[in-house]
Amino acid sequence: MALVQPMKKEDDRDDEEEYSPYLGIEKGAVLQEARVFNDPQLDARRCAQVITKLLYLLNQGEVFTKVEATEVFFSVTKLFQSKDVSLRRMVYLMIKELSPSADEVIIVTSSLMKDMNSKTDLYRANAIRVLCRITDGFLLGQIERYIKQALVDKNVVVASAALVSGIHLLQSNPDIVKRWSNEVQEAVQSRAALVQFHALALLHQIRQNDRLAVNKLVTSLTRGSIRSPLAQCLLVRYTSQVIRETASNNQTGDRPFYDYLEGCLRHKNDMVILEAARAITELNGVTTRELTPAITVLQLFLSSSKPVLRFAAVRTLNKVAMTHPLAVTNCNIDMESLISDQNRSIATLAITTLLKTSNESSVDRLMKQITNFMSDIADEFKIVVVEAIRSLCLKFPLKYRTLMNFLSNILREEGGFEYKTAIVDSILILIRDIPDAKESGLSHLCEFIEDCEFSYLSSQILHFLGNEGPKTLDPSKYIRYIHTRVILENATVRASAVSALAKFGALVEPLKPRILVLLRRCLYDNDDEVRDRATLYLNALESGSQLEDGGFRADKFVFGTLDVPLANLEASLQAYESSETPFDIRSVPKDVKSQPYSEKKAPGPKKPSKDAALPAAANEKSLHGAKSVDAYEKLLSSIPEFSTFGKLFKSSAPVELTEETEYEVNVVKHIYPGHVVFQYNCTNTIPEQLLQNVNILAEILEGDEFSEVVSKPLPSLPYNSPGQAFVAFEKPQGVYSIGKFANTMRFLVKEVDKDTGEVEEEGVEDEYQLEDLEVVPSDYFLKQTVQNFRNAWENLAPEFERVDEYGLGVKDSLNEAVQAVIEIFGLQPCEGTEVVPSNARSHTCLLAGKFVGDISVLARLSFGIDPQKQVAMKLAVRSEDQYVSDAIHEILSGA
Amino acid sequence: MEHSCPLIKNVLLLDSEGKRVAVKYFCDEWPSLASKLAFEKSIFAKTQRTNARTEAEIGMFDGYIVVYKFIADLHFYVTGGDDENELILATVLQGFFDAVSLLLRNNVDKRTVLENLDLIFLCIDEIVDGGIILETEANVIAAKVAMRGADADVPLSEQTISQALATAREHLARSLLK
């Protein structure tokens, strides 16, 4: 009885819900069934059923072996004998799905060609689609004539089939398809919507590399012969492409084709309206006047009953809000009602848009609305909102209280790891950037770790508390939170808590005795790591104030920041052999050459000089530059020989002197008022070698004004532990001396046993030729941005203004000329003038910077290009010194 | 140069448990069966609880725009790239949805669909060809699936909606009788 029951139940379910005609069908059995295709008397219905089963199997992801596929294909081809239309339709589909190989295709070619010339239009359309899908170039030559006719066939299905096939064939056989241009052009005029759409898509793809032809196409079609909405969408896309490529600095300020786009905003089909509105919002440097009509139609969409329309509109407005937040504020009321939209994607987009456009006064109200919304959306949407709130808070630091409260509230609610991480990261960033938010932020984090299920986050927060807590007004209040973790948490978190506690002990003297008591308790922890940390910190804290040998203080080391680059420490630790002598942190090189070294390895900008055209990359570079100058200054001032040189003016980016070889050397040029120092960063990449007494000989090839004053060799260069050698030259004060130097690296090579690490006593003298190094005029100029170029220009006395005109010869484009000149001077382009609109005939570029000796210099460059691509330039320079103004002109004439 | 022609990435018809009924992928962004199934699972999970029965719904999932509509125990999806015109995708979805309704005489549920799976496969084949939109008018799609005009001399272009419907019904009747 008990056995029968479940059986019956299963039957029931089969009948009711799980019924499927395909239940339990198997590939093997269906392939057997496919033999009916070979029957002399074809049963059309049965055959169609078997094909459906085969298609079902393929659709479910079943794979046919090569042999099986071939077998099925051959038997399917037999079905062309049947006159049954439905079966024929299935045969077409099956052949496409089987994607037969070239030698198999031959079997069906004649059958398909027959159908292609059939009187029945649907046979013709389908046969064209199948043939074009499976054909190769050779076969295409044979059928080209028919397809060409089909393109302009009066039957729309046939014409569309041929045109769409043309779009696919253009990828594989562009030469043949390009010959159909005339027919396709005729088809564009078709009255049938989809034929027009397909024809336009194909025509554009045929001509897409011919800018003039596309321009002509757009010019003629925008006058209005397109009826199909889909084709109209294509035309809008092509039009914005043309606009992008045409010069925008038209005299009247009117953008070509803008009227057409604007007209499309009144099209009767929403699809076209959306396409046009989006095209307008994405125009380069779109003005508010141009934007307004597009925003207006999108605003109407916001209150549509169709989710798709609302989504499309809010998504577009969200993008606009990133660049033109003010233009979108009109939609704020509609946007607010979308916060409660059933569709959570729409609601999230509406919120993030509002967060971008809201002003300081509306933040509180907005946050109230969002709070209700947050509880019922998925984590992935919440993360988007949290990120938007973080940037809002950085925009309105005064509102930190509201926003911080919001973050701490959602932190207490349920959520996955990624969501919580996003919140914690946001709080950490706010604490870092908004000093007022620190105290409240820290206490929110303290509360959070009381009940945090993610060890990773707890550890991160404890580490942060250890760093920041001691610097607050009342550090003692954090001790309780941290110590509770020591009692209640798992080993990972306990270890982090011990470290955090110890930091309080080291940094806050009054708390030290209490911390020592707490740490002593941890000595009995049942986890090794926790006990080890407690022991280490106790020792460091108790013996902290006593000086060890050589003025080395244990507490400074344990609690201070590590003053050696981590990469160097890693390299030294790897090189360290366990022996009697303990590892000495002081042996780790402190130099900064690891910076260029790591930069080289980073996947980011590999050839920075070429990217300089992009403002973002340039900014990043100069930022980076400022950072490394500080580090270089520190390093150089620690070398007594250079102490008399005065203030370091500029350090160049590292210049590679070798190509990925056994020794890697790059050089940094340091410019002082009367000296130039070359810092050679050397890396030895051969594990079996130790280099000693590494000396760089820099021989002056050109440049009479230089004379060598100091050469500082590198005593030892072990494997993979970079080091530097220096050579310094004296040169006349305050002038730009240019020169060229030949570099040779001379050293003593000693063999190293890779296994034992033993170094042989005897070494061999060797030398290694490096590439030449040039000192160029731009080395003496420092990039410096001025906020208002006009003011800065007026403030510099006109008496040192020098103006001259130059012919720059033939250039590919104005942009090329501008970038080349910027490169020569090494000055900072201001106000975005380094960007040249494509096709511009003239351009003005503003440069600013300092010459060695801190002399400000400004340059205004006006470029013009004539139809023969001859570029002329007028250069006006103002500076605080006549010499510098003249120098800029001399440099240009010399270049 | 970017592809300026609207492209359909896939058309999916899943059941109420997220299992495949009929699917067609038009690009190689999901190279393996596993990646396709993972995409379907993810889309299904994210849309399952939405009410896409009266109006087509939409979402941005895994970097794609997905428009979808549900009826009975069936879920219809059309996927496009993240910069695609949402309304074009919605038009394709509507064409697919209406054509299936026409072909199945409004009896759209999993069981009927499975019994007429040939029509569904053909339907997808008539709507999108290699990612390019072939046809969006439901009555034209249905007529082409039914091969209306192949026996008779009436060219398809001159067919009226009612004729197309009649063809679809005729085909349906035939498939019910078998």
Side-chain angles (χ1 to χ4, degrees):
Chain A
M1 198 54 193
L3 273 171
V4 175
Q5 206 83 35
M7 283 275 285
K8 189 165 176 262
K9 218 173 159 188
E10 211 165 274
D11 282 343
D12 281 346
R13 203 175 55 213
D14 276 349
D15 283 346
E16 279 159 21
E17 339 165 20
E18 273 300 305
Y19 166 77
S20 157
Y22 304 96
L23 201 66
I25 72 165
E26 269 179 3
K27 185 172 81 171
V30 179
L31 288 173
Q32 287 282 334
E33 267 187 86
R35 297 201 173 150
V36 298
F37 299 165
N38 298 319
D39 284 354
Q41 290 296 313
L42 282 173
D43 177 347
R45 189 155 300 162
R46 174 106 198 273
C47 291
Q49 279 170 0
V50 176
I51 291 185
T52 309
K53 280 186 193 170
L54 288 166
L55 287 170
Y56 171 82
L57 287 173
L58 285 171
N59 211 263
Q60 292 295 317
E62 194 82 56
V63 180
F64 290 0
T65 64
K66 188 78 195 89
V67 179
E68 286 165 349
T70 308
E71 210 166 289
V72 170
F73 175 75
F74 279 123
S75 31
V76 165
T77 58
K78 303 244 168 66
L79 299 177
F80 274 103
Q81 291 164 14
S82 168
K83 294 268 177 285
D84 187 282
V85 270
S86 303
L87 178 59
R88 183 67 58 88
R89 184 64 188 87
M90 292 304 280
V91 169
Y92 294 135
L93 184 58
M94 191 68 206
I95 293 175
K96 281 196 279 187
E97 289 295 321
L98 286 170
S99 47
S101 61
D103 47 335
E104 292 167 353
V105 168
I106 298 167
I107 312 289
V108 281
T109 308
S110 61
S111 303
L112 286 170
M113 277 171 74
K114 207 174 124 207
D115 283 357
M116 221 165 101
N117 291 300
S118 149
K119 275 191 199 129
T120 312
D121 290 332
L122 279 171
Y123 279 9
R124 283 163 58 208
N126 275 297
I128 289 172
R129 285 176 64 199
V130 177
L131 255 180
C132 291
R133 173 67 58 86
I134 61 177
T135 191
D136 56 13
F138 172 71
L139 185 60
L140 186 58
Q142 288 186 304
I143 58 171
E144 186 193 348
R145 193 159 56 91
Y146 303 110
I147 301 182
K148 238 171 146 175
Q149 279 169 13
L151 292 168
V152 288
D153 197 287
K154 67 177 191 316
N155 183 287
V156 297
V157 180
V158 174
S160 272
L163 289 162
V164 171
S165 299
I167 296 174
H168 296 309
L169 288 171
L170 188 63
Q171 312 300 322
S172 50
N173 298 286
D175 297 336
I176 294 179
V177 179
K178 278 179 184 160
R179 295 203 290 254
W180 306 345
S181 205
N182 287 335
E183 285 78 9
V184 178
Q185 202 159 4
E186 198 184 322
V188 171
Q189 302 305 326
S190 165
R191 298 193 62 84
L194 277 131
V195 174
Q196 192 169 51
F197 164 61
H198 294 136
L200 182 56
L202 179 54
L203 189 63
H204 178 260
Q205 281 189 23
I206 290 175
R207 295 187 175 169
Q208 63 180 352
N209 294 321
D210 181 352
R211 208 194 273 182
L212 204 68
V214 174
N215 205 323
K216 263 166 84 183
L217 179 71
V218 167
T219 310
S220 74
L221 291 180
T222 47
R223 297 212 186 98
S225 54
I226 296 291
R227 281 170 300 271
S228 145
L230 275 171
Q232 198 73 260
C233 286
L234 284 183
L235 188 56
V236 168
R237 291 182 190 187
Y238 303 154
T239 304
S240 42
Q241 217 166 332
V242 169
I243 294 177
R244 257 200 305 281
E245 285 161 4
T246 329
S248 56
N249 49 357
N250 195 313
Q251 289 301 317
T252 57
D254 282 342
R255 212 187 279 268
F257 299 116
Y258 174 79
D259 289 344
Y260 165 72
L261 292 182
E262 211 234 319
C264 286
L265 295 176
R266 293 184 292 273
H267 198 276
K268 59 183 187 299
N269 193 306
D270 288 343
M271 187 195 284
V272 180
I273 299 178
L274 173 67
E275 193 71 47
R278 199 167 273 171
I280 290 176
T281 62
E282 284 167 3
L283 288 174
N284 272 338
V286 62
T287 63
T288 317
R289 193 166 60 88
E290 288 169 324
L291 209 48
T292 312
I295 302 283
T296 312
V297 296
L298 291 171
Q299 187 173 5
L300 286 176
F301 283 176
L302 286 179
S303 45
S304 160
S305 64
K306 292 194 172 73
V308 176
L309 262 181
R310 296 199 299 274
F311 177 90
V314 75
R315 192 161 80 106
T316 313
L317 290 169
N318 189 303
K319 271 198 199 132
V320 178
M322 289 181 198
T323 48
H324 298 81
L326 285 179
V328 186
T329 43
N330 276 343
C331 310
N332 276 3
I333 295 176
D334 307 84
M335 208 72 89
E336 278 179 32
S337 60
L338 291 183
I339 294 181
S340 52
D341 200 292
Q342 285 293 314
N343 182 318
R344 289 352 230 152
S345 295
I346 295 176
T348 311
L349 282 166
I351 288 195
T352 49
T353 312
L354 282 168
L355 289 174
K356 281 174 202 144
T357 58
S358 66
N359 49 36
E360 200 148 359
S361 58
S362 63
V363 168
D364 291 301
R365 193 164 51 90
L366 188 58
M367 295 315 289
K368 220 171 260 166
Q369 282 172 299
I370 298 177
T371 312
N372 302 328
F373 163 80
M374 284 302 267
S375 52
D376 56 17
I377 53 168
D379 274 9
E380 51 177 313
F381 293 132
K382 290 182 185 169
I383 293 173
V384 177
V385 175
V386 167
E387 277 160 7
I389 287 178
R390 172 165 73 208
S391 38
L392 180 70
C393 193
L394 293 175
K395 196 162 108 195
F396 302 125
L398 288 177
K399 286 287 158 197
Y400 78 88
R401 216 180 293 273
T402 318
L403 297 167
M404 190 66 103
N405 275 334
F406 175 82
L407 288 176
S408 74
N409 282 335
I410 54 173
L411 193 53
R412 270 185 236 122
E413 279 159 23
E414 285 295 301
F417 175 67
E418 273 164 27
Y419 173 44
K420 294 279 165 136
T421 310
I423 305 173
V424 169
D425 283 349
S426 297
I427 295 183
L428 294 185
I429 287 171
L430 297 187
I431 293 177
R432 194 194 64 204
D433 289 353
I434 306 172
D436 289 341
K438 190 167 165 180
E439 295 269 344
S440 65
L442 285 179
S443 46
H444 290 315
L445 291 177
C446 283
E447 275 169 41
F448 173 60
I449 53 171
E450 299 268 79
D451 187 25
C452 171
E453 53 189 309
F454 306 108
S455 300
Y456 173 84
L457 284 181
S458 294
S459 299
Q460 195 192 358
I461 291 172
L462 285 166
H463 174 78
F464 188 78
L465 280 176
N467 287 339
E468 296 298 324
K471 296 180 213 154
T472 55
L473 291 175
D474 180 15
S476 64
K477 72 175 177 195
Y478 300 106
I479 304 292
R480 181 175 65 80
Y481 291 104
I482 300 173
H483 186 246
T484 331
R485 296 301 101 205
V486 178
I487 300 166
L488 297 173
E489 282 284 358
N490 61 41
T492 312
V493 180
R494 288 204 303 277
S496 307
V498 165
S499 299
L501 277 181
K503 278 183 194 148
F504 278 86
L507 297 170
V508 189
E509 200 55 38
L511 288 176
K512 194 165 160 184
R514 286 152 69 187
I515 297 286
L516 287 176
V517 173
L518 295 175
L519 284 179
R520 271 191 208 104
R521 285 191 203 153
C522 300
L523 291 176
Y524 304 103
D525 195 281
N526 54 16
D527 183 81
D528 289 351
E529 173 72 19
V530 180
R531 283 198 308 276
D532 287 354
R533 284 198 191 193
T535 314
L536 171 70
Y537 292 131
L538 270 174
N539 274 321
L541 285 174
E542 280 167 343
S543 66
S545 42
Q546 293 148 26
L547 288 184
E548 277 184 32
D549 59 305
F552 187 76
R553 283 181 58 171
D555 61 337
K556 278 272 159 59
F557 169 64
V558 173
F559 300 111
T561 48
L562 211 51
D563 59 351
V564 290
L566 285 176
N568 291 8
L569 179 60
E570 191 188 346
S572 302
L573 281 170
Q574 269 168 1
Y576 171 70
E577 305 287 338
S578 54
S579 62
E580 288 296 299
T581 42
F583 179 78
D584 188 350
I585 186 101
R586 280 167 295 185
S587 70
V588 179
K590 291 187 185 178
D591 38 51
V592 281
K593 79 328 39 222
S594 63
Q595 197 152 8
Y597 188 65
S598 62
E599 183 182 70
K600 210 182 90 191
K601 290 208 161 169
K606 273 208 165 155
K607 291 189 181 106
S609 61
K610 293 282 176 262
D611 294 343
L614 302 161
N619 281 343
E620 202 173 295
K621 234 177 76 189
S622 55
L623 241 171
H624 176 78
K627 218 165 68 190
S628 52
V629 164
D630 275 356
Y632 285 137
E633 204 166 4
K634 232 172 158 182
L635 167 73
L636 292 167
S637 60
S638 69
I639 300 169
E641 287 93 328
F642 304 150
S643 58
T644 58
F645 290 179
K647 191 177 176 307
L648 176 63
F649 174 69
K650 181 186 177 179
S651 300
S652 73
V655 183
E656 294 294 333
L657 295 183
T658 53
E659 285 158 19
E660 309 276 322
T661 47
E662 48 266 63
Y663 314 117
E664 288 172 9
V665 181
N666 65 48
V667 63
V668 179
K669 298 177 268 185
H670 299 292
I671 308 293
Y672 288 85
H675 296 84
V676 174
V677 175
F678 296 150
Q679 172 189 336
Y680 296 91
N681 300 312
C682 315
T683 311
N684 168 11
T685 61
I686 307 176
E688 298 87 0
Q689 285 190 358
L690 170 69
L691 307 191
Q692 286 186 330
N693 205 12
V694 181
N695 219 330
I696 308 273
L697 304 177
E699 189 193 333
I700 303 170
L701 296 175
E702 289 163 25
D704 310 333
E705 293 170 326
F706 292 95
S707 59
E708 186 175 324
V709 284
V710 181
S711 174
K712 207 173 169 301
L714 179 65
S716 155
L717 185 63
Y719 162 64
N720 210 10
S721 168
Q724 337 34 67
F726 297 89
V727 180
F729 290 88
E730 192 169 13
K731 64 168 233 349
Q733 286 268 353
V735 300
Y736 69 96
S737 311
I738 55 172
K740 192 169 180 185
F741 302 81
N743 302 294
T744 314
M745 183 160 82
R746 235 173 238 170
F747 46 82
L748 192 68
V749 189
K750 288 188 174 172
E751 294 286 315
V752 178
D753 190 310
K754 253 209 303 196
D755 303 319
T756 63
E758 252 172 73
V759 182
E760 281 185 21
E761 287 286 308
E762 291 295 306
V764 187
E765 288 277 353
D766 200 356
E767 66 174 44
Y768 189 78
Q769 194 65 43
L770 306 174
E771 280 173 35
D772 294 348
L773 171 67
E774 279 188 278
V775 174
V776 293
S778 64
D779 287 331
Y780 295 96
F781 289 99
L782 199 59
K783 290 188 175 183
Q784 200 176 41
T785 318
V786 293
Q787 288 307 332
N788 186 328
F789 191 87
R790 179 187 281 271
N791 277 356
W793 181 265
E794 309 272 296
N795 286 340
L796 279 177
E799 70 226 54
F800 300 133
E801 177 170 330
R802 285 258 344 245
V803 186
D804 213 338
E805 288 180 14
Y806 299 86
L808 301 182
V810 176
K811 302 274 179 197
D812 271 354
S813 68
L814 210 49
N815 188 39
E816 188 193 329
V818 173
Q819 301 314 327
V821 174
I822 291 176
E823 186 80 7
I824 292 173
F825 294 126
L827 293 173
Q828 177 70 46
C830 299
E831 298 172 11
T833 52
E834 73 275 26
V835 181
V836 185
S838 53
N839 289 2
R841 315 305 309 266
S842 63
H843 183 72
T844 299
C845 179
L846 308 171
L847 300 176
K850 277 193 165 169
F851 182 68
V852 59
D854 279 345
I855 300 162
S856 294
V857 52
L858 300 174
R860 181 180 275 166
L861 309 137
S862 310
F863 294 83
I865 188 163
D866 70 8
Q868 283 75 45
K869 306 244 174 200
Q870 282 283 351
V871 179
M873 181 183 78
K874 183 176 159 196
L875 168 62
V877 187
R878 281 191 185 187
S879 81
E880 295 167 333
D881 190 321
Q882 180 68 43
Y883 172 80
V884 180
S885 300
D886 290 340
I888 292 272
H889 282 277
E890 280 168 31
I891 290 165
L892 193 69
S893 339
Chain B
M1 185 171 284
E2 83 266 37
H3 230 294
S4 25
C5 187
L7 286 180
I8 307 298
K9 305 269 182 191
N10 64 43
V11 172
L12 312 174
L13 178 55
L14 307 180
D15 71 6
S16 55
E17 287 162 27
K19 280 193 278 195
R20 274 183 180 187
V21 176
V23 300
K24 181 75 186 164
Y25 286 79
F26 302 102
C27 62
D28 39 20
E29 283 158 56
W30 297 274
S32 63
L33 177 64
S35 58
K36 290 184 176 87
L37 289 173
F39 178 77
E40 288 157 32
K41 195 178 165 195
S42 148
I43 296 298
F44 179 78
K46 284 168 184 163
T47 57
Q48 194 181 6
R49 280 195 215 96
T50 54
N51 180 16
R53 286 175 191 275
T54 46
E55 288 284 356
E57 280 287 346
I58 182 164
M60 177 97 160
F61 307 115
D62 308 343
Y64 297 95
I65 298 284
V66 182
V67 289
Y68 52 100
K69 194 163 183 188
F70 304 158
I71 184 167
D73 48 1
L74 288 171
H75 294 194
F76 291 72
Y77 300 89
V78 171
T79 308
D82 68 344
D83 52 358
E84 198 47 82
N85 183 325
E86 293 88 344
L87 296 174
I88 293 181
L89 298 177
T91 309
V92 173
L93 176 73
Q94 198 62 44
F96 181 31
F97 187 88
D98 291 347
V100 171
S101 307
L102 276 176
L103 289 165
L104 302 184
R105 256 173 91 192
N106 288 327
N107 293 321
V108 186
D109 57 34
K110 186 183 172 189
R111 187 173 173 148
T112 321
V113 159
L114 283 174
E115 281 168 351
N116 297 280
L117 201 55
D118 50 345
L119 300 183
I120 308 300
F121 287 142
L122 292 176
C123 202
I124 299 176
D125 188 56
E126 290 293 358
I127 295 169
V128 186
D129 184 297
I132 297 186
I133 300 165
L134 194 59
E135 180 57 73
T136 56
E137 282 295 323
N139 55 320
V140 180
I141 298 166
K144 282 164 84 178
V145 168
M147 291 295 270
R148 177 67 182 170
D151 318 283
D153 289 328
V154 189
L156 186 72
S157 51
E158 289 163 27
Q159 270 192 342
T160 61
I161 297 178
S162 57
Q163 274 176 317
L165 265 168
T167 320
R169 282 192 193 120
E170 188 181 290
H171 191 100
L172 176 90
R174 238 181 34 198
S175 61
L176 284 177
L177 284 172
K178 67 185 169 187

